[in-house]
Amino acid sequence: MIANVHSIETFSSLDGPGIRYVLFLQGCNLACKYCHNIDTIPRINYKQMSVDEVVNDFLKYKAFYQDGGITISGGEPLLQLDFIIALFEKLKEYNVHTAIQTQGTIFQDNPKFRKLIDLTNLFIVDLKGVNNTEVKKITNVKLDNTFLLLDILNKENKKFYITYVLVPEINNSNYHIEELGKILKRFNQANYKFKVLKYHKLGLDKWTQLGIKYELDKYREATSKDVGEFLDKLKSYIQ
Ligand code: SF4
């Protein structure tokens, strides 16, 4: 089984518990206006790696990852579902903690995805909006499959993080907070963590190099204060 790989980060502390080996897969079904890895979007044959190559590469560094493990990111990793299943099956032989970063919009409730859920210790689900109307300010997609994934993870008592990129003046109003509160209330608090990520423009150079217009240019980056205020207000909706 072969994957199209964008890049590998061998020492990340941001993509799940502990120190992580992060495999960024090439290709995404979306084109988010704030994408900071726009070069991962094209579904092209980039660097190719087999399951054994990834496993052997991970095992070289295994001693570093005692409380961590491997995280599959992208692009959108679920586009390469068969590869991830084969990879995680192999990694489970070595008792490795497995995580996936996904926006969940291509998730389906079928046996293959159910198998992936069984093999995955942690899902990190990026929520692109609070509903199918609001999400259009960020990307052209519906969130039904993302919500289906979250509801199944919750029902199965799996561990998951929900991440939400805060873009000032676009998705941090009281309306967004209230809608988010309704979403989070559905889930058992023991199963999930909610994380707000600050919108930034670090990937802007890549857009410029590719000659693609960056629509969010006129919006400022989010600050720690924005995140603090957002979370304070959100608390009153989920307690
Ligand atoms: S889902 Fe992620 S990789 Fe895909 S376009 Fe959006 S931000 Fe970029």
Side-chain angles (χ1 to χ4, degrees):
M1 189 69 65
I2 300 288
N4 285 320
V5 173
H6 175 270
S7 55
I8 293 170
E9 194 176 332
T10 53
F11 205 79
S12 166
S13 57
L14 301 174
D15 302 287
I19 304 297
R20 315 293 301 179
Y21 177 105
V22 187
L23 182 72
F24 293 91
L25 296 185
Q26 180 67 28
C28 187
N29 60 313
L30 300 185
C32 303
K33 292 177 184 172
Y34 53 49
C35 184
H36 64 278
N37 281 329
I38 192 171
D39 51 331
T40 64
I41 294 178
R43 293 190 219 181
I44 49 171
N45 290 350
Y46 216 68
K47 180 184 173 184
Q48 300 207 312
M49 286 181 84
S50 68
V51 166
D52 284 343
E53 281 171 319
V54 176
V55 171
N56 290 336
D57 194 42
F58 174 82
L59 291 178
K60 279 196 295 195
Y61 310 97
K62 191 167 185 286
F64 293 114
Y65 304 120
Q66 285 175 356
D67 299 326
I70 191 165
T71 301
I72 313 300
S73 188
E76 173 44 61
L78 297 189
L79 289 170
Q80 301 187 58
L81 176 62
D82 291 336
F83 174 84
I84 304 175
I85 289 174
L87 176 67
F88 281 7
E89 278 177 334
K90 191 90 186 171
L91 287 168
K92 286 295 156 197
E93 292 171 18
Y94 298 93
N95 207 19
V96 176
H97 183 279
T98 53
I100 296 181
Q101 269 175 339
T102 175
Q103 21 84 351
T105 59
I106 61 163
F107 175 78
Q108 297 290 311
D109 187 8
N110 64 31
K112 247 186 207 176
F113 275 108
R114 287 281 181 164
K115 188 166 188 184
L116 181 74
I117 289 173
D118 282 347
L119 289 164
T120 305
N121 295 108
L122 174 70
F123 273 81
I124 303 169
V125 181
D126 192 20
L127 191 58
K128 297 291 179 188
V130 293
N131 54 42
N132 283 339
T133 307
E134 283 298 316
V135 71
K136 300 221 174 322
K137 293 177 180 169
I138 301 298
T139 192
N140 190 17
V141 76
K142 287 190 173 171
L143 294 174
D144 305 19
N145 295 333
T146 308
F147 288 129
L148 178 64
L149 170 62
L150 290 170
D151 284 330
I152 289 174
L153 293 173
N154 184 58
K155 198 164 165 225
E156 299 295 325
N157 284 321
K158 298 290 292 190
K159 296 291 174 213
F160 57 100
Y161 296 170
I162 300 172
T163 56
Y164 183 81
V165 178
L166 187 159
V167 189
E169 294 174 36
I170 288 203
N171 64 8
N172 66 335
S173 71
N174 287 340
Y175 170 73
H176 294 98
I177 294 169
E178 193 176 337
E179 291 297 296
L180 210 41
K182 286 184 209 157
I183 294 165
L184 296 181
K185 264 201 142 154
R186 301 214 294 261
F187 308 131
N188 180 343
Q189 290 196 13
N191 292 340
Y192 80 94
K193 286 184 186 167
F194 177 68
K195 299 186 173 203
V196 177
L197 308 178
K198 287 185 268 185
Y199 163 63
H200 61 72
K201 297 183 183 179
L202 294 177
L204 188 51
D205 282 354
K206 292 182 185 171
W207 289 70
T208 313
Q209 279 163 19
L210 292 167
I212 304 173
K213 184 172 162 37
Y214 190 75
E215 283 183 45
L216 296 187
D217 209 12
K218 64 177 187 280
Y219 294 93
R220 66 174 175 85
E221 296 187 325
T223 63
S224 300
K225 187 165 172 271
D226 294 321
V227 173
E229 288 173 358
F230 188 86
L231 288 173
D232 278 348
K233 288 185 193 165
L234 183 63
K235 264 187 214 152
S236 61
Y237 289 101
I238 52 179
Q239 275 164 355

